[in-house]
């Protein structure tokens, strides 16, 4: 049976805001990764490992996995802790 993980991808190093972080990704796990003896790259005969599906919400991703009989694991995003800062705090002491 196919296995997959459902998650929200992290923002890239070039991204400072929180935009475009609302997509859920369903990514299949590689069954048998092997090392290419010539180049040393990791490769696999499993073509599902190259597939990443985007969904607008988690419910659609879960429904897709259930409909296609895919075992899935949900990786919840971590909550961002925001600290309110003020310019005047530099002068209080």
């Amino acid at each position: 049976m196919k296995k997959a993980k459902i998650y929200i991808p992290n923002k890239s190093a070039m991204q400072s805001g929180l935009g475009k972080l609302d997509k859920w990704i369903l990514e299949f796990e590689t069954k048998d990764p092997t090392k290419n003896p010539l180049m040393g790259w990791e490769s696999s005969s499993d073509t599902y490992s190259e597939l990443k599906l985007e969904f607008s919400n988690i419910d659609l991703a879960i429904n897709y996995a259930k409909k296609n009989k895919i075992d899935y694991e949900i990786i919840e995003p971590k909550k961002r802790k925001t600290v309110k800062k003020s310019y005047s705090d530099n002068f209080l002491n």
Side-chain angles (χ1 to χ4, degrees):
M1 185 171 262
K2 296 177 272 189
K3 293 180 90 176
K5 58 184 177 180
I6 300 172
Y7 64 96
I8 292 181
N10 294 331
K11 62 182 189 168
S12 69
M14 301 301 293
Q15 193 176 9
S16 63
L18 298 176
K20 298 184 182 177
L21 292 179
D22 56 349
K23 301 282 187 200
W24 286 85
I25 305 290
L26 186 139
E27 182 178 1
F28 292 94
E29 294 179 2
T30 306
K31 288 183 184 175
D32 55 348
T34 57
K35 199 167 192 177
N36 185 324
L38 178 63
M39 297 299 289
W41 296 336
E42 186 176 296
S43 61
S44 175
S45 60
D46 183 21
T47 57
Y48 280 111
S49 63
E50 300 172 12
L51 199 61
K52 285 186 182 179
L53 302 175
E54 284 187 4
F55 296 93
S56 58
N57 61 30
I58 191 168
D59 296 329
L60 291 173
I62 291 172
N63 289 339
Y64 178 84
K66 286 180 180 177
K67 182 179 174 184
N68 292 303
K69 298 178 179 132
I70 300 169
D71 287 338
Y72 61 91
E73 174 189 358
I74 298 173
I75 300 172
E76 292 289 335
K78 294 182 181 176
K79 296 289 183 187
R80 291 181 56 100
K81 181 178 155 185
T82 57
V83 179
K84 287 195 170 193
K85 294 182 181 179
S86 174
Y87 178 70
S88 62
D89 291 342
N90 293 331
F91 304 104
L92 299 176
N93 214 358

